[in-house]
Amino acid sequence: MGKIVISTNVTLDGVVQDPDGQEGFELGGWFHQFVGARDLEDWTANETEEVLGAEALLLGRRSFEWFASRTPAMDVRVGREWADRMNSLPKYVVSSTLENPQWSNTTILNGDAAKEISELKRSVDGEILVYGSYQLVRTMMEQNLADELRLVVFPVVLGTGLRIFDETSDKKPLHLVNTRKIGDGLVSYAYEFVQV
């Protein structure tokens, strides 16, 4: 049985919007503004370890397109081992509009998202890693399909912007399973979703 692991970078006040500044959000670009050289090195090692432990990727369409446009050609400076693993993993993208994905090993899930993700969990043995994909993440949380949430918290408060927990219909209890410092300024938290 697969385990859905949501992994995301987040500001101290929970903003996940536009970390690289490419989306046009006025406060975007916080990833590189608030990360030092040692932080970036340790963050890359953390992300590489995480993706090496995954058996598949699950993405929403916009996140899929973002990664597909960058990952295949990534150079050594940003983590060749990470990029190679991302390229080789089976990828599942939830989309009703994507027709011809150009990234290797991609399967489109275009039916009922909750049903298709439940079937994916039954067919994959191991971690199914979710990057970005905030609309999909919210759907999975609402449908109790997510198993673990991993947050890398950046030392900045933006005060506004899209947050991973902007919309929930009910409380979502979590159980802390791990915390650790990354570099000099980042903190990683891992939580399991408590099924009630």
Side-chain angles (χ1 to χ4, degrees):
M1 180 93 169
K3 175 182 177 181
I4 302 260
V5 176
I6 299 164
S7 178
T8 192
N9 299 309
V10 61
T11 65
L12 196 56
D13 58 340
V15 175
V16 292
Q17 186 175 1
D18 200 9
D20 67 354
Q22 300 293 312
E23 299 171 32
F25 173 48
E26 65 181 309
L27 300 175
W30 48 267
F31 182 100
H32 288 289
Q33 291 173 344
F34 299 98
V35 65
R38 180 161 175 244
D39 298 331
L40 186 57
E41 182 179 316
D42 286 358
W43 177 88
T44 301
N46 180 68
E47 296 297 303
T48 301
E49 178 184 332
E50 182 174 70
V51 80
L52 289 174
E55 295 301 321
L57 294 174
L58 174 61
L59 302 165
R61 181 191 51 82
R62 285 188 298 241
S63 292
F64 172 83
E65 289 174 344
W66 190 93
F67 281 107
S69 71
R70 292 162 174 82
T71 305
M74 269 191 182
D75 62 29
V76 176
R77 290 176 295 126
V78 291
R80 185 74 253 162
E81 188 176 21
W82 177 87
D84 287 345
R85 182 65 174 157
M86 289 283 287
N87 290 326
S88 69
L89 277 173
K91 289 167 270 301
Y92 299 88
V93 57
V94 176
S95 175
S96 60
T97 59
L98 188 64
E99 293 180 6
N100 188 21
Q102 299 297 307
W103 202 6
S104 63
N105 306 321
T106 297
T107 300
I108 299 171
L109 306 178
N110 62 3
D112 176 84
K115 182 179 176 187
E116 298 234 22
I117 293 167
S118 292
E119 290 174 9
L120 179 63
K121 283 181 74 168
R122 284 190 292 275
S123 68
V124 173
D125 187 23
E127 290 186 359
I128 302 166
L129 191 58
V130 181
Y131 285 141
S133 309
Y134 305 115
Q135 184 175 353
L136 176 62
V137 164
R138 288 184 183 128
T139 298
M140 288 189 297
M141 288 191 300
E142 285 296 313
Q143 298 292 324
N144 296 316
L145 293 169
D147 300 293
E148 187 172 328
L149 175 65
R150 296 177 186 161
L151 303 172
V152 175
V153 180
F154 282 65
V156 59
V157 173
L158 298 183
T160 188
L162 179 68
R163 290 173 168 80
I164 194 168
F165 301 114
D166 273 346
E167 300 171 21
T168 58
S169 63
D170 200 1
K171 296 179 191 112
K172 297 292 178 195
L174 302 165
H175 172 74
L176 182 66
V177 293
N178 189 21
T179 183
R180 66 186 169 116
K181 187 175 178 185
I182 296 177
D184 294 322
L186 308 178
V187 180
S188 170
Y189 296 98
Y191 295 93
E192 290 177 344
F193 286 91
V194 177
Q195 303 303 326
V196 291

